[in-house]
mmCIF file with all atom_site columns, all heavy atoms in Angstrom:
data_model
loop_
_atom_site.group_PDB
_atom_site.id
_atom_site.type_symbol
_atom_site.label_atom_id
_atom_site.label_alt_id
_atom_site.label_comp_id
_atom_site.label_asym_id
_atom_site.label_entity_id
_atom_site.label_seq_id
_atom_site.pdbx_PDB_ins_code
_atom_site.Cartn_x
_atom_site.Cartn_y
_atom_site.Cartn_z
_atom_site.occupancy
_atom_site.B_iso_or_equiv
_atom_site.pdbx_formal_charge
_atom_site.auth_seq_id
_atom_site.auth_comp_id
_atom_site.auth_asym_id
_atom_site.auth_atom_id
_atom_site.pdbx_PDB_model_num
ATOM 1  N N   . GLU F 1 23 ? 0.900  -9.012  -0.941 1.00 96.00 ? 185 GLU F N   1
ATOM 2  C CA  . GLU F 1 23 ? 1.269  -8.122  0.142  1.00 96.00 ? 185 GLU F CA  1
ATOM 3  C C   . GLU F 1 23 ? 1.555  -8.891  1.394  1.00 96.00 ? 185 GLU F C   1
ATOM 4  O O   . GLU F 1 23 ? 0.817  -9.815  1.756  1.00 96.00 ? 185 GLU F O   1
ATOM 5  C CB  . GLU F 1 23 ? 0.168  -7.123  0.427  1.00 96.00 ? 185 GLU F CB  1
ATOM 6  C CG  . GLU F 1 23 ? 0.172  -5.889  -0.453 1.00 96.00 ? 185 GLU F CG  1
ATOM 7  C CD  . GLU F 1 23 ? -0.870 -4.950  -0.020 1.00 96.00 ? 185 GLU F CD  1
ATOM 8  O OE1 . GLU F 1 23 ? -0.845 -4.468  1.099  1.00 96.00 ? 185 GLU F OE1 1
ATOM 9  O OE2 . GLU F 1 23 ? -1.791 -4.708  -0.857 1.00 96.00 ? 185 GLU F OE2 1
ATOM 10 N N   . ALA F 1 24 ? 2.604  -8.511  2.104  1.00 97.00 ? 186 ALA F N   1
ATOM 11 C CA  . ALA F 1 24 ? 2.914  -9.119  3.420  1.00 97.00 ? 186 ALA F CA  1
ATOM 12 C C   . ALA F 1 24 ? 3.462  -8.039  4.307  1.00 97.00 ? 186 ALA F C   1
ATOM 13 O O   . ALA F 1 24 ? 3.791  -6.956  3.915  1.00 97.00 ? 186 ALA F O   1
ATOM 14 C CB  . ALA F 1 24 ? 3.868  -10.266 3.237  1.00 97.00 ? 186 ALA F CB  1
ATOM 15 N N   . ARG F 1 25 ? 3.508  -8.395  5.607  1.00 96.00 ? 187 ARG F N   1
ATOM 16 C CA  . ARG F 1 25 ? 4.003  -7.463  6.642  1.00 96.00 ? 187 ARG F CA  1
ATOM 17 C C   . ARG F 1 25 ? 5.216  -8.129  7.291  1.00 96.00 ? 187 ARG F C   1
ATOM 18 O O   . ARG F 1 25 ? 5.132  -9.294  7.726  1.00 96.00 ? 187 ARG F O   1
ATOM 19 C CB  . ARG F 1 25 ? 2.931  -7.247  7.628  1.00 96.00 ? 187 ARG F CB  1
ATOM 20 C CG  . ARG F 1 25 ? 3.263  -6.108  8.608  1.00 96.00 ? 187 ARG F CG  1
ATOM 21 C CD  . ARG F 1 25 ? 2.107  -5.887  9.592  1.00 96.00 ? 187 ARG F CD  1
ATOM 22 N NE  . ARG F 1 25 ? 2.452  -4.763  10.463 1.00 96.00 ? 187 ARG F NE  1
ATOM 23 C CZ  . ARG F 1 25 ? 3.305  -4.850  11.478 1.00 96.00 ? 187 ARG F CZ  1
ATOM 24 N NH1 . ARG F 1 25 ? 3.809  -6.003  11.829 1.00 96.00 ? 187 ARG F NH1 1
ATOM 25 N NH2 . ARG F 1 25 ? 3.576  -3.746  12.207 1.00 96.00 ? 187 ARG F NH2 1
ATOM 26 N N   . LEU F 1 26 ? 6.323  -7.417  7.336  1.00 97.00 ? 188 LEU F N   1
ATOM 27 C CA  . LEU F 1 26 ? 7.528  -7.944  7.923  1.00 97.00 ? 188 LEU F CA  1
ATOM 28 C C   . LEU F 1 26 ? 7.765  -7.349  9.292  1.00 97.00 ? 188 LEU F C   1
ATOM 29 O O   . LEU F 1 26 ? 7.714  -6.143  9.487  1.00 97.00 ? 188 LEU F O   1
ATOM 30 C CB  . LEU F 1 26 ? 8.730  -7.597  7.022  1.00 97.00 ? 188 LEU F CB  1
ATOM 31 C CG  . LEU F 1 26 ? 10.101 -8.122  7.453  1.00 97.00 ? 188 LEU F CG  1
ATOM 32 C CD1 . LEU F 1 26 ? 10.152 -9.593  7.456  1.00 97.00 ? 188 LEU F CD1 1
ATOM 33 C CD2 . LEU F 1 26 ? 11.164 -7.549  6.503  1.00 97.00 ? 188 LEU F CD2 1
ATOM 34 N N   . ASP F 1 27 ? 7.984  -8.229  10.285 1.00 97.00 ? 189 ASP F N   1
ATOM 35 C CA  . ASP F 1 27 ? 8.139  -7.768  11.684 1.00 97.00 ? 189 ASP F CA  1
ATOM 36 C C   . ASP F 1 27 ? 9.068  -8.756  12.394 1.00 97.00 ? 189 ASP F C   1
ATOM 37 O O   . ASP F 1 27 ? 9.538  -9.713  11.779 1.00 97.00 ? 189 ASP F O   1
ATOM 38 C CB  . ASP F 1 27 ? 6.769  -7.698  12.346 1.00 97.00 ? 189 ASP F CB  1
ATOM 39 C CG  . ASP F 1 27 ? 6.754  -6.850  13.634 1.00 97.00 ? 189 ASP F CG  1
ATOM 40 O OD1 . ASP F 1 27 ? 7.824  -6.312  14.034 1.00 97.00 ? 189 ASP F OD1 1
ATOM 41 O OD2 . ASP F 1 27 ? 5.682  -6.722  14.223 1.00 97.00 ? 189 ASP F OD2 1
ATOM 42 N N   . VAL F 1 28 ? 9.322  -8.495  13.636 1.00 98.00 ? 190 VAL F N   1
ATOM 43 C CA  . VAL F 1 28 ? 10.016 -9.534  14.495 1.00 98.00 ? 190 VAL F CA  1
ATOM 44 C C   . VAL F 1 28 ? 9.061  -9.906  15.594 1.00 98.00 ? 190 VAL F C   1
ATOM 45 O O   . VAL F 1 28 ? 8.113  -9.196  15.883 1.00 98.00 ? 190 VAL F O   1
ATOM 46 C CB  . VAL F 1 28 ? 11.329 -9.006  15.028 1.00 98.00 ? 190 VAL F CB  1
ATOM 47 C CG1 . VAL F 1 28 ? 12.311 -8.711  13.918 1.00 98.00 ? 190 VAL F CG1 1
ATOM 48 C CG2 . VAL F 1 28 ? 11.105 -7.698  15.866 1.00 98.00 ? 190 VAL F CG2 1
ATOM 49 N N   . THR F 1 29 ? 9.280  -11.060 16.147 1.00 97.00 ? 191 THR F N   1
ATOM 50 C CA  . THR F 1 29 ? 8.352  -11.578 17.157 1.00 97.00 ? 191 THR F CA  1
ATOM 51 C C   . THR F 1 29 ? 9.041  -12.501 18.116 1.00 97.00 ? 191 THR F C   1
ATOM 52 O O   . THR F 1 29 ? 10.210 -12.881 17.881 1.00 97.00 ? 191 THR F O   1
ATOM 53 C CB  . THR F 1 29 ? 7.178  -12.315 16.427 1.00 97.00 ? 191 THR F CB  1
ATOM 54 O OG1 . THR F 1 29 ? 6.136  -12.598 17.389 1.00 97.00 ? 191 THR F OG1 1
ATOM 55 C CG2 . THR F 1 29 ? 7.633  -13.638 15.851 1.00 97.00 ? 191 THR F CG2 1
ATOM 56 N N   . GLY F 1 30 ? 8.379  -12.848 19.184 1.00 95.00 ? 192 GLY F N   1
ATOM 57 C CA  . GLY F 1 30 ? 8.911  -13.758 20.197 1.00 95.00 ? 192 GLY F CA  1
ATOM 58 C C   . GLY F 1 30 ? 8.154  -13.543 21.472 1.00 95.00 ? 192 GLY F C   1
ATOM 59 O O   . GLY F 1 30 ? 7.871  -12.406 21.886 1.00 95.00 ? 192 GLY F O   1
ATOM 60 N N   . ALA F 1 31 ? 7.815  -14.675 22.091 1.00 95.00 ? 193 ALA F N   1
ATOM 61 C CA  . ALA F 1 31 ? 6.969  -14.581 23.286 1.00 95.00 ? 193 ALA F CA  1
ATOM 62 C C   . ALA F 1 31 ? 7.659  -13.743 24.382 1.00 95.00 ? 193 ALA F C   1
ATOM 63 O O   . ALA F 1 31 ? 7.057  -12.825 24.965 1.00 95.00 ? 193 ALA F O   1
ATOM 64 C CB  . ALA F 1 31 ? 6.636  -16.017 23.833 1.00 95.00 ? 193 ALA F CB  1
ATOM 65 N N   . GLU F 1 32 ? 8.907  -14.019 24.658 1.00 96.00 ? 194 GLU F N   1
ATOM 66 C CA  . GLU F 1 32 ? 9.601  -13.280 25.735 1.00 96.00 ? 194 GLU F CA  1
ATOM 67 C C   . GLU F 1 32 ? 9.988  -11.859 25.298 1.00 96.00 ? 194 GLU F C   1
ATOM 68 O O   . GLU F 1 32 ? 10.037 -10.982 26.146 1.00 96.00 ? 194 GLU F O   1
ATOM 69 C CB  . GLU F 1 32 ? 10.862 -14.053 26.198 1.00 96.00 ? 194 GLU F CB  1
ATOM 70 C CG  . GLU F 1 32 ? 10.539 -15.413 26.741 1.00 96.00 ? 194 GLU F CG  1
ATOM 71 C CD  . GLU F 1 32 ? 10.366 -16.467 25.646 1.00 96.00 ? 194 GLU F CD  1
ATOM 72 O OE1 . GLU F 1 32 ? 10.606 -16.115 24.488 1.00 96.00 ? 194 GLU F OE1 1
ATOM 73 O OE2 . GLU F 1 32 ? 9.998  -17.595 25.990 1.00 96.00 ? 194 GLU F OE2 1
ATOM 74 N N   . LEU F 1 33 ? 10.235 -11.715 23.996 1.00 97.00 ? 195 LEU F N   1
ATOM 75 C CA  . LEU F 1 33 ? 10.455 -10.359 23.511 1.00 97.00 ? 195 LEU F CA  1
ATOM 76 C C   . LEU F 1 33 ? 9.263  -9.483  23.838 1.00 97.00 ? 195 LEU F C   1
ATOM 77 O O   . LEU F 1 33 ? 9.384  -8.367  24.283 1.00 97.00 ? 195 LEU F O   1
ATOM 78 C CB  . LEU F 1 33 ? 10.688 -10.454 21.996 1.00 97.00 ? 195 LEU F CB  1
ATOM 79 C CG  . LEU F 1 33 ? 10.941 -9.192  21.203 1.00 97.00 ? 195 LEU F CG  1
ATOM 80 C CD1 . LEU F 1 33 ? 11.730 -9.524  19.938 1.00 97.00 ? 195 LEU F CD1 1
ATOM 81 C CD2 . LEU F 1 33 ? 9.633  -8.498  20.713 1.00 97.00 ? 195 LEU F CD2 1
ATOM 82 N N   . ALA F 1 34 ? 8.056  -10.014 23.584 1.00 97.00 ? 196 ALA F N   1
ATOM 83 C CA  . ALA F 1 34 ? 6.850  -9.245  23.874 1.00 97.00 ? 196 ALA F CA  1
ATOM 84 C C   . ALA F 1 34 ? 6.659  -8.994  25.372 1.00 97.00 ? 196 ALA F C   1
ATOM 85 O O   . ALA F 1 34 ? 6.272  -7.902  25.774 1.00 97.00 ? 196 ALA F O   1
ATOM 86 C CB  . ALA F 1 34 ? 5.602  -9.970  23.284 1.00 97.00 ? 196 ALA F CB  1
ATOM 87 N N   . VAL F 1 35 ? 6.958  -10.000 26.149 1.00 98.00 ? 197 VAL F N   1
ATOM 88 C CA  . VAL F 1 35 ? 6.884  -9.791  27.619 1.00 98.00 ? 197 VAL F CA  1
ATOM 89 C C   . VAL F 1 35 ? 7.847  -8.678  28.033 1.00 98.00 ? 197 VAL F C   1
ATOM 90 O O   . VAL F 1 35 ? 7.489  -7.814  28.827 1.00 98.00 ? 197 VAL F O   1
ATOM 91 C CB  . VAL F 1 35 ? 7.190  -11.090 28.362 1.00 98.00 ? 197 VAL F CB  1
ATOM 92 C CG1 . VAL F 1 35 ? 7.359  -10.858 29.861 1.00 98.00 ? 197 VAL F CG1 1
ATOM 93 C CG2 . VAL F 1 35 ? 6.126  -12.152 28.122 1.00 98.00 ? 197 VAL F CG2 1
#
Side-chain angles (χ1 to χ4, degrees):
Chain F
E185 275 183 63
R187 189 179 184 280
L188 181 63
D189 196 358
V190 294
T191 191
E194 298 83 5
L195 179 153
V197 170

